[in-house]
Amino acid sequence: MRPTVGLAVHTAGGPVLPWSFERRDPRPHDVAVAITYCGVCYSDVEAVRGAREPNLPLVPGHEFVGRVSAVGDLVTSFRVGDSVAVGNCVDSCGACEECLAGQQNHCTDGGPTLTYLGVDRHDGRRTQGGWSTEYVADEAWVYRLPDGLDPAPAAPLLCAGITSWEALRHWEIGPGSTIGIVGIGGLGHLGVKFAKALGAEVVAFTLTPENVADIKALGADDVVVSSDPDALAAQARRFDFILDTASRAHDLSPYLRALRLHGTMCLLGIPPTVEVETRALRVGRHSLAGSGTGSPARVREMLDFCAEHGIVADVDVLPSTQLATALDRLERGDVKYRLVLDLADLTERAS
Ligand SMILES: [Zn+2]
Ligand SMILES: [Zn+2]
């Protein structure tokens, strides 16, 4: 077994503290990754705040980069020292209709194995996440980090990035599309960069008037302050597609009315339920859709695109000792646009 140090929630409602545990030795197709940087996602905050038995201790973290530290006997695509990245899923059944169609992120056999809060399909152990010194995963779910992508700001591509990218690619956003992006945080700011580089006209919706100039600097063609009802109403029938990344409940109707004929609004944020004014769907034959993370092939496609277009996240990098501050800042919305933990200090504590 491989001795590992993680940042774990030990008791329900308790703080996140270093924890020594063991990863499995690499199986024939496994890659061990010495983690250098891991992002802090809003879903990590929810995992920390909601952690309880039987999931304790719990190590969150599901968008990280590092270097290959060991490989299984049958691994041919990676060597020790390679720069790699891992995202929010690390396995799937490989046999269901969705897996066979290359949509492993929609695996119907209990879902894909999550990077943390999952159960390994082979040894039955609970998975522990990337706020740790090392991770071990099947090579099919480990991604080569292209040369030229700075590792720390590349880490958020593996959750925030792929979630936006999957939707933009599924709905074939490109030249000629006019799209809206609601909520300019981790997912939304990458959505703006991706959509612009894909050739779309991009309009950002933010609640924060003081952020307008910064959001334009990300590449948005226009920014609408969504707390202004008149500004929202003025968007009627403007968009082919709206990507809604907001994680807090809000009224969808003004956005549905902002769609053109046959336009789609896709929800990426995670309010558990939403209310829909059905007339705003009927008029214009609008669609309300949802989307999540992407398949391994989609992640590789995104990383290639990012390397080609020089896209990474805008991040604040914090030492892992400042995790509590990171969680508080994320809850307050005091982040532009993603926080990333530098895990070098954790590695030092482990050695
Ligand atoms: Zn995430
Ligand atoms: Zn499957």
Side-chain angles (χ1 to χ4, degrees):
M1 301 296 271
R2 302 178 72 83
T4 305
V5 176
L7 292 167
V9 187
H10 295 257
T11 55
V16 183
L17 297 169
W19 174 50
S20 294
F21 65 107
E22 289 184 323
R23 300 279 188 195
R24 66 176 184 258
D25 288 318
R27 298 192 286 248
H29 281 287
D30 277 348
V31 173
V33 180
I35 301 168
T36 49
Y37 298 98
C38 185
V40 184
C41 172
Y42 192 74
S43 64
D44 296 324
V45 178
E46 297 190 324
V48 167
R49 304 298 188 224
R52 56 180 59 86
E53 293 293 354
N55 296 321
L56 300 172
L58 167 69
V59 181
H62 62 192
E63 45 177 40
F64 56 88
V65 296
R67 290 201 174 270
V68 173
S69 48
V71 295
D73 293 342
L74 298 181
V75 171
T76 54
S77 46
F78 295 101
R79 300 168 74 167
V80 170
D82 285 352
S83 191
V84 295
V86 176
N88 44 22
C89 302
V90 289
D91 200 5
S92 72
C93 83
C96 72
E97 189 181 334
E98 286 73 9
C99 282
L100 292 173
Q103 304 272 306
Q104 298 92 331
N105 46 314
H106 295 289
C107 176
T108 52
D109 181 14
T113 304
L114 300 177
T115 303
Y116 69 90
L117 281 177
V119 175
D120 182 79
R121 299 181 120 83
H122 305 279
D123 63 20
R125 296 176 72 205
R126 287 189 295 114
T127 57
Q128 299 287 1
W131 296 352
S132 58
T133 50
E134 192 176 61
Y135 199 94
V136 179
D138 188 285
E139 61 178 325
W141 298 80
V142 176
Y143 310 101
R144 188 170 297 284
L145 195 64
D147 292 341
L149 287 187
D150 190 6
L157 296 173
L158 277 294
C159 175
I162 186 57
T163 307
S164 288
W165 179 255
E166 166 76 1
L168 295 173
R169 295 286 293 128
H170 178 77
W171 275 278
E172 299 179 344
I173 301 309
S177 312
T178 301
I179 83 156
I181 298 186
V182 181
I184 309 302
L187 280 69
H189 92 288
L190 284 167
V192 169
K193 293 186 186 195
F194 290 154
K196 200 61 207 158
L198 285 165
E201 183 180 346
V202 182
V203 178
F205 292 85
T206 180
L207 284 168
T208 322
E210 51 272 28
N211 288 356
V212 168
D214 283 350
I215 295 169
K216 283 197 172 155
L218 294 172
D221 296 290
D222 192 5
V223 182
V224 176
V225 176
S226 43
S227 48
D228 174 355
D230 294 338
L232 265 191
Q235 306 305 310
R237 296 186 303 281
R238 183 173 183 185
F239 299 102
D240 303 294
F241 183 73
I242 294 178
L243 194 63
D244 186 341
T245 74
S247 50
R248 293 187 176 87
H250 59 279
D251 185 6
L252 302 187
S253 299
Y255 299 104
L256 292 171
R257 281 193 284 269
L259 293 170
R260 283 184 187 147
L261 184 68
H262 299 166
T264 295
M265 177 168 185
C266 175
L267 304 181
L268 300 184
I270 39 180
T273 56
V274 293
E275 252 184 48
V276 179
E277 180 198 343
T278 52
R279 182 184 154 78
L281 288 174
R282 288 198 309 272
V283 176
R285 207 180 281 117
H286 299 151
S287 298
L288 182 62
S291 187
T293 191
S295 66
R298 198 70 107 185
V299 173
R300 288 188 202 98
E301 174 193 78
M302 173 194 68
L303 290 172
D304 288 345
F305 184 86
C306 288
E308 189 183 331
H309 293 270
I311 295 175
V312 288
D314 287 23
V315 298
D316 269 357
V317 180
L318 299 174
S320 73
T321 47
Q322 288 184 27
L323 177 60
T325 310
L327 295 174
D328 289 344
R329 281 182 58 188
L330 207 49
E331 274 185 319
R332 288 202 309 271
D334 174 25
V335 181
K336 273 186 193 155
Y337 291 94
R338 198 67 155 182
L339 295 173
V340 171
L341 296 179
D342 179 346
L343 293 162
D345 55 350
L346 189 62
T347 306
E348 282 157 21
R349 271 186 267 173
S351 58

